[in-house]
């Protein structure tokens, strides 16, 4: 039985959330003294964008300078990442804004934009990462925290190939 062709952005999001994209935390990082693992923007794009394109979606992001109210009552310039998820056949869309941290240097600004692009796309598609531990609840030592069942780690290349070999996941 085939899925009906989505008529608008809501129906597309329903199809995506019915079978959310799966990412693998295969990159090592560090925040302060804490070592972390994450799925980088390359993997996020490789796993998620083909599914969006197959459903007639266009993903757009744009770093934008906006004037926002400051503490002194004046408007201050602030960089944000504007994003749009557009369903081309129906011309329906979802838009949002992701605030960018004050960077200071061009390199830090680029990192903030990359981070925002990755998190916005993951959030809008409800993508999940293998070995996800609720992003900090366990590390924060909160009482009552129960770690999710362990999911076997699959190398990112294998996860990508599995998606290519199983088009019904799209």
């Amino acid at each position: 039985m085939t899925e009906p062709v989505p008529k608008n952005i809501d129906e597309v999001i329903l199809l995506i959330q019915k079978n959310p994209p799966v990412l693998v935390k295969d990159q090592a990082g560090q925040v302060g003294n804490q070592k972390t693992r994450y799925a980088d923007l390359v993997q996020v794009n490789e796993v998620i964008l083909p599914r969006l394109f197959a459903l007639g979606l266009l993903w757009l992001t744009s770093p934008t300078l906006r004037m926002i109210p400051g503490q002194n009552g004046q408007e201050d310039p602030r960089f944000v990442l504007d994003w749009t998820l557009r369903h081309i056949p129906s011309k329906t869309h979802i838009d949002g804004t992701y605030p960018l941290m004050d960077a200071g240097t061009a390199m830090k600004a680029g990192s903030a934009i990359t981070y925002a692009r990755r998190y916005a796309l993951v959030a809008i598609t409800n993508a999940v990462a293998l070995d996800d531990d609720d992003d900090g609840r366990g590390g924060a030592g909160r009482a009552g925290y129960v770690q999710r069942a362990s999911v076997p780690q699959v190398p990112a290349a294998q996860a990508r190939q599995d998606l290519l070999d199983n088009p019904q996941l799209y």
Side-chain angles (χ1 to χ4, degrees), residues 122-155:
V122 166
I124 195 69
T125 59
N126 245 7
V128 295
L130 294 177
D131 201 23
D132 187 359
D133 74 348
D134 262 349
D135 289 333
R137 282 201 313 178
R142 293 186 182 162
Y145 171 76
V146 177
Q147 186 160 350
R148 295 180 185 171
S150 176
V151 178
Q153 287 293 324
V154 177

Side-chain angles (χ1 to χ4, degrees), residues 35-46:
K35 293 191 183 297
T36 63
R37 299 207 52 80
Y38 65 98
D40 67 4
L41 182 59
V42 172
Q43 181 189 163
V44 169
N45 284 342
E46 286 178 349

Side-chain angles (χ1 to χ4, degrees), residues 3 15-16 19 46-55 159-170:
E3 295 281 342
L15 287 175
I16 292 170
N19 184 17
E46 286 178 349
V47 171
I48 297 174
L49 291 181
R51 291 183 70 182
L52 299 184
F53 298 154
L55 293 167
R160 289 182 197 113
Q161 190 59 50
D162 289 347
L163 287 172
L164 293 173
D165 292 343
N166 297 296
Q168 72 273 15
L169 295 176
Y170 292 98

Side-chain angles (χ1 to χ4, degrees), residues 60-156:
L60 299 169
T61 60
S62 176
T64 306
L65 185 62
R66 287 255 173 82
M67 298 303 285
I68 60 169
Q71 294 179 347
N72 59 6
Q74 302 290 321
E75 288 197 332
D76 297 323
R78 176 86 190 264
F79 275 105
V80 299
L81 183 80
D82 287 329
W83 59 263
T84 300
L85 186 61
R86 183 174 298 140
H87 185 235
I88 300 300
S90 69
K91 297 181 177 29
T92 56
H93 58 90
I94 300 171
D95 301 310
T97 300
Y98 193 107
L100 298 173
M101 302 301 286
D102 292 331
T105 67
M107 189 170 153
K108 287 182 180 178
S111 293
I113 292 166
T114 298
Y115 184 92
R117 288 175 60 206
R118 179 167 44 107
Y119 270 76
L121 183 54
V122 166
I124 195 69
T125 59
N126 245 7
V128 295
L130 294 177
D131 201 23
D132 187 359
D133 74 348
D134 262 349
D135 289 333
R137 282 201 313 178
R142 293 186 182 162
Y145 171 76
V146 177
Q147 186 160 350
R148 295 180 185 171
S150 176
V151 178
Q153 287 293 324
V154 177

